[in-house]
Amino acid sequence: MLKDWIRPLVRPLPQWSPVAITPPSRVITATLRWNGKSTDVTTDHTVASLNPLVIATSLDAGDHALLEYSDNATGKTLGVLQLTKTGSTAAGTASIMLYHVTAGEHRCLAWPRRSWNAWLQNRSMLKNRASNHLNMEPAAAQQLMIAYLYPRPVILVSVDAPGHQNIFPMDLIGPLDRSGLFSLALRSTNVSQSVMREVRKVALSTIPASMKTIVYKLAEHHKQPLQDWSALPFTVRPSREFGIPVVAQAPRVRELTIVHSQEIGIHTFFLGRVSSDENVAKGDQLHHTAGFHQAYRRKRAVPFTEA
Ligand SMILES: Cc1cc2nc3c(=O)[nH]c(=O)nc-3n(C[C@H](O)[C@H](O)[C@H](O)COP(=O)(O)O)c2cc1C
């Protein structure tokens, strides 16, 4: 067992911390700044692709902008991403702006621990490159961690089409509030990706934090479809309008009608409209945040509950 004081010297913080958060949680505010203007985009920005790292928002903030994450309790800026517009995409009457992340820094750890931890994390990523599911350069992975200062919910996506059924976890998701759209960034190698483009319907179940292990195990269904709904280690029920099997004990279930999809790097970026929203139960939900965010909160004696 490593002593508490020596651990940070030799071991990096985890890149991601699975945590239990009860919505609505306004722990972090995300603000887009450009040309002397600023707008709250906390519920209007999402990750559109990992490689290249692209952020989508319904707000047009010009060619260059800063995305800033601040702690609502202290007002402190915890991290900043520099963005450069690479294009936009139209879905019906809505336009979604796509911004490439060109640089970023966080202030969750004091110097020199911040640089040392990044060095340890990057070294570990390079060492484990072959098994690194992220498929990103270390600098981009560091920028992605900054985007996770805003804790991202983990959901299970259900797909049900003739001859194909599946359920798998995602966290590169989010509302783009001003446009009324909801996005999913799904690796194009996912076995259900083409079916989703065809049937244009999915159901999203949020997950109680207690289901973390089961949910992680379902990552195997990014590669292979589900054979039998009844073989899942939890009960499913039909979603309200589409009748797609969803997690019976999900605190919240949304059905999404997919209105647009496009490839961005190694991901397919789906945009959908919420067709139904069953806000069934209150209670904690599984989220991911950056490991250095949890370390910052732990130091302030207000850590998120570990999932
Ligand atoms: C909790 C969780 C969330 C995930 N979220 C996403 C996601 O949003 N988009 C995606 O393409 N893959 C997502 N994945 C899938 C993994 O990134 C990975 O693609 C999958 O485990 C297969 O890995 P491999 O193809 O690198 O072997 C998620 C996996 C887990 C466990």
Side-chain angles (χ1 to χ4, degrees):
M1 193 71 159
L2 281 174
K3 288 246 177 331
D4 281 354
W5 62 270
I6 204 170
R7 190 179 290 117
L9 299 181
V10 293
R11 272 203 203 149
L13 289 167
Q15 293 178 32
W16 324 108
S17 284
V19 294
I21 294 180
T22 305
S25 153
R26 294 288 289 177
V27 173
I28 293 289
T29 293
T31 306
L32 208 49
R33 299 190 188 280
W34 77 105
N35 289 344
K37 299 181 206 153
S38 67
T39 298
D40 186 330
V41 290
T42 310
T43 54
D44 195 353
H45 80 288
T46 180
V47 176
S49 130
L50 292 186
N51 191 357
L53 182 56
V54 174
I55 300 280
T57 170
S58 349
L59 196 77
D60 190 348
D63 288 344
H64 301 281
L66 275 187
L67 180 57
E68 198 178 277
Y69 295 97
S70 54
D71 179 354
N72 287 341
T74 60
K76 181 181 154 97
T77 300
L78 296 184
V80 177
L81 293 175
Q82 279 179 36
L83 308 179
T84 296
K85 198 199 274 181
T86 54
S88 64
T89 191
T93 51
S95 280
I96 301 299
M97 307 301 142
L98 300 173
Y99 283 92
H100 184 201
V101 178
T102 53
E105 61 171 23
H106 77 85
R107 296 168 202 161
C108 291
L109 307 172
W111 190 87
R113 192 178 172 206
R114 192 189 311 159
S115 311
W116 180 240
N117 179 63
W119 187 85
L120 289 172
Q121 284 181 328
N122 293 353
R123 187 183 65 161
S124 162
M125 280 184 245
L126 291 170
K127 216 163 88 187
N128 302 312
R129 196 182 265 274
S131 58
N132 181 355
H133 294 301
L134 282 178
N135 223 335
M136 311 172 77
E137 289 304 315
Q142 293 288 344
Q143 293 156 2
L144 179 64
M145 288 179 232
I146 293 168
Y148 274 78
L149 284 172
Y150 177 63
R152 313 263 163 187
V154 177
I155 55 159
L156 284 176
V157 178
S158 304
V159 184
D160 196 29
H164 181 98
Q165 55 200 18
N166 209 354
I167 186 163
F168 50 83
M170 287 190 75
D171 64 355
L172 299 172
I173 62 157
L176 295 163
D177 267 3
R178 286 174 184 80
S179 63
L181 295 168
F182 194 98
S183 74
L184 308 171
L186 183 62
R187 218 155 333 158
S188 300
T189 51
N190 176 290
V191 70
S192 300
Q193 180 265 147
S194 58
V195 179
M196 287 164 62
R197 289 177 99 140
E198 217 176 284
V199 298
R200 296 177 162 255
K201 281 178 188 167
V202 288
L204 317 178
S205 306
T206 59
I207 300 300
S210 57
M211 285 179 68
K212 183 187 86 172
T213 310
I214 292 173
V215 165
Y216 279 26
K217 175 87 175 53
L218 291 176
E220 66 196 28
H221 291 301
H222 278 270
K223 288 186 165 164
Q224 61 205 42
L226 178 74
Q227 297 304 325
D228 185 356
W229 290 108
S230 64
L232 289 167
F234 48 80
T235 314
V236 293
R237 63 162 178 90
S239 65
R240 193 160 72 195
E241 286 177 21
F242 301 162
I244 299 176
V246 294
V247 181
Q249 63 184 112
R252 184 176 189 181
V253 172
R254 274 167 287 200
E255 293 176 309
L256 218 60
T257 301
I258 293 165
V259 295
H260 176 83
S261 63
Q262 74 183 83
E263 285 194 18
I264 306 179
I266 60 170
H267 285 82
T268 301
F269 183 53
F270 288 98
L271 290 169
R273 291 213 175 270
V274 176
S275 297
S276 78
D277 189 351
E278 296 176 72
N279 211 344
V280 193
K282 294 196 167 44
D284 71 42
Q285 294 178 19
L286 181 60
H287 284 67
H288 283 160
T289 194
F292 48 63
H293 186 201
Q294 179 71 326
Y296 161 83
R297 293 187 64 88
R298 195 171 289 124
K299 192 153 188 214
R300 289 187 48 241
V302 286
F304 293 118
T305 306
E306 300 278 345

